[in-house]
């Protein structure tokens, strides 16, 4: 058990007004969780303090070589007034997979979950209740040694901040257009693609800017070796319905193992769909679309939830999917997942954790 010291703010901020458009990740609550790591001592000094700027040496290693990780999960205020987290143990386990890859020390799963629960509890009144909103939770770890040599840091900070948020995409549940990237690559097997670390996202920006300039919301990455096979979108995993089957790229070391991805596979199986985790080439999608078999496409992610894709561009082909409308599977998954998260549906998978 962490012995968390709590220092409450004496100058609470004004909370967003009812009905105010929250956007995503723009507003932050009154408090944050902080814990330090020192080699030889382990994780220590767990505390909840007023949300504040960090004072750090400009020589801190995170600024130079990017030794950092982050996670994303949400707290929901249910229709019954209870506050729920969705599968936080999966975020905790993925934290440690990322930490291993980046030579960051392990963080006990139970400490991660306890810290998330504690800070959410303190800022519980910040959880928005309008449809489609939630409290986005951003845990992250940064390397803090003052040192310009390339080596793993011996000190770290684990911090959790909270952002009352609405839909990740401004369009909400309306289908988005996605650009299948054929010039840049995001990750290769043996690299960091499976890890949740800032470098992967920094590497994605150039293609995202290009896609935005062309009127697309996000980039869909191809594998970095053959540049043929679909991997993931910038902020979500990707699913297709092809000829009645649900198909998603298999985890291969360069794809993020999404919590929502894992949950959607389980829900689709439960709904009676055949689910295939396998390689899918961009060419297969083009052919499936031409023969009328590409029935649906949607992204999955904590921030994005279920995000229908209505348009896919690959070099000279532009595929319009399901008439650019929300598909039946996407809608069913959105309703089921958010129903469980907001306590409107029975959680028979045992996925939610009360705070
Ligand atoms: C999430 O879905 O929680 C993520 O971390 C994606 C992020 C890039 C917005």
């Amino acid at each position: 058990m962490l012995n968390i010291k709590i220092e409450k703010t004496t100058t609470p901020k004004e909370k967003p007004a009812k009905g105010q458009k929250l956007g995503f990740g723009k507003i932050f609550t009154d408090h944050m969780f902080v814990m330090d790591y020192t080699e030889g001592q382990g994780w220590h000094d767990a505390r909840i303090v007023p949300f504040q700027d960090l004072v750090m040496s400009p020589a801190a290693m995170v600024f130079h070589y990017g030794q950092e990780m982050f996670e994303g999960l949400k707290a929901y205020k249910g229709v019954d007034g209870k506050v729920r987290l969705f599968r936080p143990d999966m975020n905790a386990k993925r934290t440690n997979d990322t930490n291993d890859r980046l030579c960051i020390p392990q963080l006990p799963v139970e400490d991660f979950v306890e810290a998330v629960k504690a800070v959410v509890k303190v800022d519980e009144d910040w959880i928005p209740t309008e449809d489609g909103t939630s409290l986005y939770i951003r845990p992250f770890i940064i390397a803090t040694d003052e040192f310009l040599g390339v080596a793993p840091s011996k000190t770290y900070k684990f911090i959790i901040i909270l952002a009352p948020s609405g839909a990740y995409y401004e369009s909400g549940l309306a289908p988005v257009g996605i650009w299948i990237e054929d010039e840049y690559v995001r990750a290769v097997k043996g690299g960091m693609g499976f890890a949740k670390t800032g470098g992967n996202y920094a590497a994605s920006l150039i293609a995202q800017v290009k896609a935005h300039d062309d009127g697309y919301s996000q980039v869909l990455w191809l594998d970095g070796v053959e540049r043929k096979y679909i991997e993931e979108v910038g902020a979500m995993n990707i699913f297709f319905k092809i000829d009645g089957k649900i198909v998603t790229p298999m985890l291969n070391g360069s794809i993020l193992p999404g919590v929502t991805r894992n949950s959607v596979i389980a829900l689709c199986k439960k709904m009676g769909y055949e689910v295939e985790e396998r390689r899918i080439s961009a060419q297969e999608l083009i052919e499936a679309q031409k023969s009328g078999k590409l029935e649906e496409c949607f992204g999955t992610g904590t921030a994005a939830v279920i995000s229908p894709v209505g348009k896919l561009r690959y070099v000279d082909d532009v595929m319009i999917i399901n008439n650019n409308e929300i598909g039946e599977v996407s809608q069913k998954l959105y309703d089921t997942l958010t129903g469980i998260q907001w306590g409107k549906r029975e959680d028979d998978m045992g996925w939610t954790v009360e705070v």
Side-chain angles (χ1 to χ4, degrees):
M1 269 251 310
L2 295 172
N3 178 20
I4 305 174
K5 291 210 177 68
I6 301 179
E7 178 200 337
K8 292 248 181 105
T9 182
T10 51
T11 52
K13 294 183 274 195
E14 204 168 312
K15 297 188 179 63
K18 271 233 164 311
Q20 179 183 330
K21 224 169 175 265
L22 297 172
F24 173 81
K26 292 181 178 162
I27 300 167
F28 298 95
T29 65
D30 278 327
H31 298 91
M32 62 195 214
F33 174 90
V34 186
M35 181 161 71
D36 300 307
Y37 178 91
T38 311
E39 197 177 68
Q41 192 181 354
W43 291 104
H44 59 93
D45 284 306
R47 56 205 185 268
I48 290 171
V49 293
F51 185 90
Q52 60 196 269
D53 292 345
L54 300 175
V55 177
M56 285 173 66
S57 166
M61 293 179 83
V62 64
F63 297 132
H64 304 277
Y65 311 119
Q67 197 193 6
E68 76 94 43
M69 65 76 51
F70 74 93
E71 268 299 328
L73 66 163
K74 285 174 173 174
Y76 312 84
K77 176 92 57 105
V79 283
D80 51 5
K82 290 184 182 156
V83 176
R84 292 177 176 83
L85 303 171
F86 187 73
R87 311 186 77 183
D89 54 310
M90 287 198 77
N91 297 91
K93 287 183 193 129
R94 191 171 62 186
T95 292
N96 283 327
D97 293 340
T98 301
N99 287 3
D100 281 347
R101 180 64 182 80
L102 281 129
C103 297
I104 296 173
Q106 291 267 304
L107 183 64
V109 167
E110 55 284 4
D111 290 355
F112 178 101
V113 175
E114 185 187 341
V116 168
K117 280 185 176 173
V119 69
V120 168
K121 186 94 198 144
V122 168
D123 277 340
E124 182 176 344
D125 290 348
W126 281 83
I127 305 177
T129 51
E130 281 87 14
D131 249 13
T133 63
S134 57
L135 186 70
Y136 186 76
I137 304 167
R138 171 52 57 88
F140 62 103
I141 300 175
I142 50 175
T144 52
D145 271 11
E146 273 188 49
F147 180 44
L148 297 185
V150 178
S153 180
K154 294 182 170 60
T155 60
Y156 299 86
K157 272 190 194 305
F158 172 47
I159 301 174
I160 306 173
I161 54 175
L162 309 169
S165 294
Y168 185 72
Y169 297 110
E170 272 179 23
S171 57
L173 244 194
V176 292
I178 301 259
W179 170 285
I180 303 179
E181 175 58 32
D182 54 304
E183 183 184 0
Y184 300 103
V185 296
R186 171 186 175 272
V188 290
K189 195 171 173 187
M192 303 198 299
F194 69 90
K196 209 144 173 70
T197 183
N200 285 333
Y201 296 80
S204 76
L205 296 178
I206 190 165
Q208 190 175 313
V209 169
K210 192 171 70 169
H212 272 190
D213 289 347
D214 256 65
Y216 289 81
S217 302
Q218 287 264 328
V219 170
L220 176 53
W221 297 101
L222 295 177
D223 76 278
V225 178
E226 294 180 70
R227 302 194 179 198
K228 275 192 199 160
Y229 298 100
I230 302 292
E231 297 231 308
E232 68 174 75
V233 180
M236 53 192 194
N237 294 113
I238 192 91
F239 284 75
F240 305 94
K241 182 163 171 249
I242 304 175
D243 202 15
K245 288 183 196 159
I246 307 298
V247 190
T248 192
M250 66 193 183
L251 299 180
N252 60 358
S254 56
I255 296 176
L256 189 85
V259 176
T260 313
R261 175 188 181 278
N262 178 286
S263 311
V264 159
I265 290 173
L267 287 177
C268 285
K269 287 183 179 165
K270 201 162 160 244
M271 286 169 181
Y273 290 106
E274 197 174 318
V275 181
E276 292 180 349
E277 292 178 72
R278 61 167 172 84
R279 294 210 296 190
I280 310 156
S281 66
Q283 198 53 40
E284 175 183 346
L285 293 182
I286 292 169
E287 280 158 23
Q289 206 254 352
K290 285 193 176 137
S291 62
K293 290 184 177 158
L294 181 55
E295 295 158 6
E296 250 183 82
C297 175
F298 55 91
T300 65
T302 297
V305 196
I306 302 292
S307 180
V309 176
K311 186 162 87 163
L312 274 178
R313 165 269 173 206
Y314 178 59
V315 194
D316 295 328
D317 282 280
V318 175
M319 300 168 247
I320 300 294
I321 303 161
N322 194 39
N323 258 334
N324 204 17
E325 285 165 15
I326 304 175
E328 193 193 330
V329 180
S330 312
Q331 186 71 58
K332 253 203 286 194
L333 286 169
Y334 181 84
D335 292 343
T336 309
L337 211 49
T338 56
I340 293 171
Q341 290 163 341
W342 292 330
K344 292 182 188 167
R345 284 187 186 220
E346 193 200 339
D347 176 17
D348 52 1
M349 307 296 255
W351 283 339
T352 56
V353 173
E354 273 179 40
V355 171

